[in-house]
Amino acid sequence: MYFILFISFVILQRLLELVIARRNESWARAQGAEEFGKAHYPFIVALHTAFIISMIAEYFYLGGEFSLLMLIIFLLLISLKIWTIGSLGKYWNTKILRIPNSVFVRKGPYKMFKHPNYFIVICEIIVIPLVFHLYATAIVFTLLNAVMLTVRIREEERVWGV
């Protein structure tokens, strides 16, 4: 029962992020934004979808015990993600969108780190499965995410010149 509630929460959180991203994308495109990284974006979507499916499959195939510590860490990551998204405001998106004459945001966690959102995503890919000791999902998707973020960050840094 706890797993069903947890995975439902994770799915709803991801869907809410997509709603925010879509709203922000509409605003950015109205400002003349150009999209970059279109070729790799479907792979990001596929990776995150497979991540959820993998957790569900691993849990129902192997089971998994609940970890309160990992849940607390996950909740802390959510608070950091809210701060990160809030710092970017309308500029936050799951896509790489560049509005002409815009500059790289340097407030909130962006004062301290170049890519705090990606740091949070890295941690989430590890921590979320570990809330129920789903080690295979944590390991496999940490590696896949590392490859994906290598591509993504290179493209983003090229676009922003940072």
Side-chain angles (χ1 to χ4, degrees):
M1 179 65 174
Y2 290 123
F3 178 77
I4 300 295
L5 290 172
F6 178 73
I7 200 70
S8 296
F9 177 81
V10 170
I11 292 167
L12 288 172
Q13 176 196 6
R14 295 298 194 251
L15 291 173
L16 176 61
E17 289 173 12
L18 290 175
V19 167
I20 293 167
R22 188 147 309 193
R23 184 190 69 215
N24 291 348
E25 179 182 0
S26 294
W27 173 82
R29 290 195 186 278
Q31 308 305 308
E34 182 180 353
E35 182 177 350
F36 298 88
K38 288 181 188 180
H40 72 258
Y41 187 75
F43 294 102
I44 292 174
V45 172
L47 182 131
H48 284 270
T49 302
F51 173 68
I52 299 291
I53 293 167
S54 178
M55 281 192 298
I56 294 168
E58 185 177 355
Y59 180 81
F60 285 108
Y61 182 71
L62 298 175
E65 295 192 26
F66 174 74
S67 168
L68 180 59
L69 175 61
M70 289 295 122
L71 179 63
I72 291 167
I73 293 171
F74 173 60
L75 295 174
L76 289 171
L77 288 171
I78 290 173
S79 65
L80 289 174
K81 184 177 257 187
I82 290 168
W83 182 34
T84 300
I85 291 172
S87 295
L88 289 178
K90 291 181 177 183
Y91 292 95
W92 180 82
N93 209 292
T94 58
K95 296 179 179 179
I96 301 173
L97 300 169
R98 176 108 194 242
I99 297 170
N101 302 314
S102 59
V103 295
F104 197 75
V105 172
R106 298 202 188 277
K107 65 179 186 177
Y110 290 90
K111 285 181 186 176
M112 299 169 272
F113 302 103
K114 195 187 295 186
H115 297 289
N117 192 61
Y118 296 139
F119 171 75
I120 293 165
V121 170
I122 290 165
C123 292
E124 285 178 330
I125 295 288
I126 296 166
V127 170
I128 290 172
L130 294 183
V131 172
F132 283 91
H133 297 265
L134 305 175
Y135 297 107
T137 299
I139 292 167
V140 168
F141 283 88
T142 294
L143 296 173
L144 292 172
N145 188 52
V147 171
M148 189 71 259
L149 284 180
T150 299
V151 171
R152 174 69 171 205
I153 290 170
R154 281 185 187 149
E155 177 69 2
E156 193 168 296
E157 289 187 348
R158 182 189 67 76
V159 168
W160 287 99
V162 293

